[in-house]
Amino acid sequence: MDVIKQIDYMIACLEVAKEEINYKKRYEMKIKMREDNDWNWYKRNRTPSNTLIKENLRNVGRTGFKLAKDLEVVVYKEVEMKE
């Protein structure tokens, strides 16, 4: 995977985490206002996933560190070749 694709992947992971956090806020507001019985509520709404948020943020961290390390190696090799 090239650098641009890895950066796009990290951006997509952050967008997923952000959307899940926004959904969690809306979900909590809906719970306070709900008047339906429990079965109808769960039929129409999914439960927000903290795991989805955490794993996407971890993926960004792992990919970011790997990308930074790979770029350091490339830059170091280019400097070495010039000398």
Side-chain angles (χ1 to χ4, degrees):
M1 199 181 317
D2 68 340
V3 174
I4 301 298
K5 286 184 181 177
Q6 288 181 349
I7 292 171
D8 288 341
Y9 172 74
M10 290 189 293
I11 291 170
C13 286
L14 289 172
E15 287 173 348
V16 168
K18 182 181 176 183
E19 285 301 316
E20 192 65 16
I21 290 170
N22 288 335
Y23 177 76
K24 186 176 180 179
K25 289 178 183 176
R26 289 191 312 268
Y27 180 85
E28 289 169 355
M29 288 174 47
K30 284 182 184 179
I31 285 179
K32 291 177 184 174
M33 298 180 346
R34 78 175 185 179
E35 296 174 0
D36 290 344
N37 64 28
D38 288 336
W39 293 114
N40 288 335
W41 170 258
Y42 289 113
K43 185 177 177 182
R44 290 192 318 254
N45 298 287
R46 66 175 180 83
T47 305
S49 174
N50 286 332
T51 303
L52 183 63
I53 297 167
K54 287 190 280 187
E55 288 303 316
N56 275 292
L57 293 175
R58 286 181 182 145
N59 285 340
V60 170
R62 283 190 289 262
T63 305
F65 285 126
K66 182 182 178 304
L67 182 60
K69 184 178 177 183
D70 291 347
L71 290 176
E72 280 181 5
V73 170
V74 170
V75 170
Y76 179 73
K77 285 182 181 179
E78 288 176 359
V79 170
E80 225 177 46
M81 291 176 85
K82 287 181 182 179
E83 295 175 352

